[in-house]
């Protein structure tokens, strides 16, 4: 087994395992920690895909900022293990699991059948010709030229979100004023 | 046992991994009742989509996928902020963050 293959399988197992424990553990703080582990695994997968800048942003934004937000809110609530962590109802639960399994099977089968339709040869690597600095440089160029409108719109959206989140959180009496 | 599937890592491997992560997130949203865990599952789904974008970006040789990943990350952070603010308001009133209290939200 080559080093590349070993790295991929190791990261895949880590990511899938911690992803499963996000939804299976009944204590929310363990879920949050597993989610942080998943984020780190996905960031490492980005590195294997030569997306170094995205991997750094993933670590800073997700494993840093978003996870701190989650953990802080969980600690604010002082949530112990959920008494009713999962939805009640055996039949509907089985139905949900079945539909999730069906979706997984459909997607995996579709990916497997579409092999060769996308026009990519397995193992071929285009971006590796660019050095890491070159890739980041052209990333910035695309972001500020081709997608500059989306970038600006995103800035406005972030301002709206910041104001909205603060006003939501400090409204007296929550959503049910009385 | 075909060792080619294990040794030759290609686009399909990443796509299938992302699909499995997505369905995990979907299962979390469907099965869990805690709003915070629900938000985490949504983050899981968004991350799997990011992985798909980056994998396609590498194997098609286009950098546009990376830009979309930036946008998705920003939207995900914004969504987490608003969702957690809503969870805080729900918790203030009901002392619990079960999803069933979201049935009777009022402005």
């Amino acid at each position: 087994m080559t080093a590349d293959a070993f790295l991929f399988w190791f990261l895949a197992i880590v990511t899938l395992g911690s992803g499963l424990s996000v939804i299976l553990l009944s204590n929310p703080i363990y879920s949050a920690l597993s989610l942080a582990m998943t984020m780190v695994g996905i960031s490492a997968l980005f590195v294997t895909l030569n997306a170094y800048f995205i991997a750094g942003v993933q670590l800073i934004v997700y494993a840093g900022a978003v996870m701190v937000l989650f953990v802080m809110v969980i600690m604010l609530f002082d949530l112990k293990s959920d008494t009713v962590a999962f939805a009640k109802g055996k039949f509907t639960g089985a139905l949900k699991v079945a539909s999730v399994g069906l979706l997984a099977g459909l997607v995996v089968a579709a990916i497997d059948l579409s092999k060769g339709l996308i026009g990519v040869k397995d193992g071929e690597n285009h971006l590796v010709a660019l050095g890491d600095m070159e890739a980041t440089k052209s990333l910035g160029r695309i972001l500020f030229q081709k997608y500059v409108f989306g970038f600006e719109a995103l800035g406005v959206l972030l301002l709206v979100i910041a104001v909205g989140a603060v006003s939501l959180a400090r409204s007296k009496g929550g959503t049910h004023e009385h | 046992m075909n060792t080619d599937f294990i040794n030759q890592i290609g686009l399909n491997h990443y796509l299938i991994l992302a699909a499995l992560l997505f369905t995990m997130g979907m299962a979390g949203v469907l099965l869990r009742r805690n709003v915070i865990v629900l938000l985490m599952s949504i983050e899981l789904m968004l991350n799997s989509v990011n992985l798909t974008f980056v994998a396609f970006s590498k194997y098609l040789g286009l950098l546009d996928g990376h830009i979309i990943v930036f946008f998705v990350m920003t939207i995900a952070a914004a969504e987490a902020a608003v969702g957690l603010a809503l969870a805080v308001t729900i918790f203030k009133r009901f002392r619990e963050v079960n999803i069933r209290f979201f049935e009777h939200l009022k402005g």
Side-chain angles (χ1 to χ4, degrees):
Chain A
M1 195 186 282
T2 58
D4 272 1
F6 175 77
L7 198 62
F8 173 81
W9 289 112
F10 175 72
L11 290 174
I13 288 165
V14 166
T15 317
L16 288 178
S18 50
L20 257 184
S21 49
V22 170
I23 63 169
L24 289 182
L25 293 174
S26 63
N27 193 337
I29 201 108
Y30 292 155
S31 289
L33 292 178
S34 316
L35 187 62
M37 193 65 223
T38 317
M39 303 296 184
V40 173
I42 288 177
S43 161
L45 280 167
F46 286 165
V47 171
T48 66
L49 287 167
N50 295 330
Y52 305 109
F53 191 68
I54 297 280
V57 171
Q58 166 96 5
L59 270 186
I60 295 167
V61 171
Y62 270 123
V66 172
M67 287 324 298
V68 167
L69 204 64
F70 273 110
V71 171
M72 220 176 74
V73 168
I74 291 169
M75 288 178 171
L76 195 71
F77 292 167
D78 192 24
L79 293 175
K80 299 291 180 295
S81 215
D82 285 350
T83 41
V84 203
F86 295 92
K88 273 174 279 183
K90 288 237 162 41
F91 178 69
T92 51
L95 211 62
K96 284 167 185 170
V97 172
S99 58
V100 166
L102 192 66
L103 178 73
L106 273 176
V107 174
V108 170
I111 291 167
D112 204 43
L113 287 177
S114 72
K115 195 182 277 183
L117 289 180
I118 305 168
V120 187
K121 279 190 209 126
D122 275 1
E124 200 170 318
N125 192 352
H126 301 274
L127 283 179
V128 83
L130 270 57
D132 359 329
M133 281 316 287
E134 285 301 310
T136 308
K137 197 189 274 178
S138 47
L139 195 66
R141 206 163 272 149
I142 294 175
L143 180 61
F144 290 112
Q145 283 174 355
K146 196 173 169 187
Y147 291 96
V148 70
F149 178 74
F151 183 75
E152 300 287 347
L154 219 54
V156 175
L157 180 83
L158 277 181
L159 180 67
V160 172
I161 293 289
V163 174
V166 170
S167 71
L168 254 182
R170 71 184 294 275
S171 67
K172 288 197 183 67
T175 59
H176 292 63
E177 203 158 355
H178 50 189
Chain B
M1 183 82 191
N2 191 358
T3 54
D4 224 34
F5 178 75
I6 296 174
N7 285 321
Q8 293 292 320
I9 303 301
L11 176 60
N12 280 358
H13 290 76
Y14 287 100
L15 292 186
I16 288 172
L17 176 63
L20 290 179
L21 274 176
F22 187 90
T23 47
M24 265 178 203
M26 181 182 154
V29 169
L30 287 177
L31 293 171
R32 294 305 294 265
R33 296 289 85 183
N34 190 329
V35 174
I36 297 178
V37 181
L38 239 71
L39 286 171
M40 287 187 213
S41 305
I42 293 173
E43 298 289 328
L44 204 61
M45 292 204 279
L46 288 167
N47 260 283
S48 75
V49 173
N50 279 353
L51 187 61
T52 313
F53 270 122
V54 174
F56 269 121
S57 176
K58 180 189 173 189
Y59 285 97
L60 297 179
L62 291 168
L63 271 178
D64 297 47
H66 290 201
I67 307 289
I68 307 294
V69 170
F70 272 127
F71 291 171
V72 170
M73 275 179 185
T74 321
I75 299 293
E79 168 257 319
V82 171
L84 287 172
L86 273 175
V88 167
T89 55
I90 285 288
F91 184 78
K92 272 190 203 162
R93 174 73 172 75
F94 295 104
R95 300 276 121 202
E96 208 185 333
V97 281
N98 200 300
I99 188 72
R100 68 195 160 94
F101 296 126
F102 277 65
E103 279 170 8
H104 25 78
L105 277 177
K106 278 194 293 193

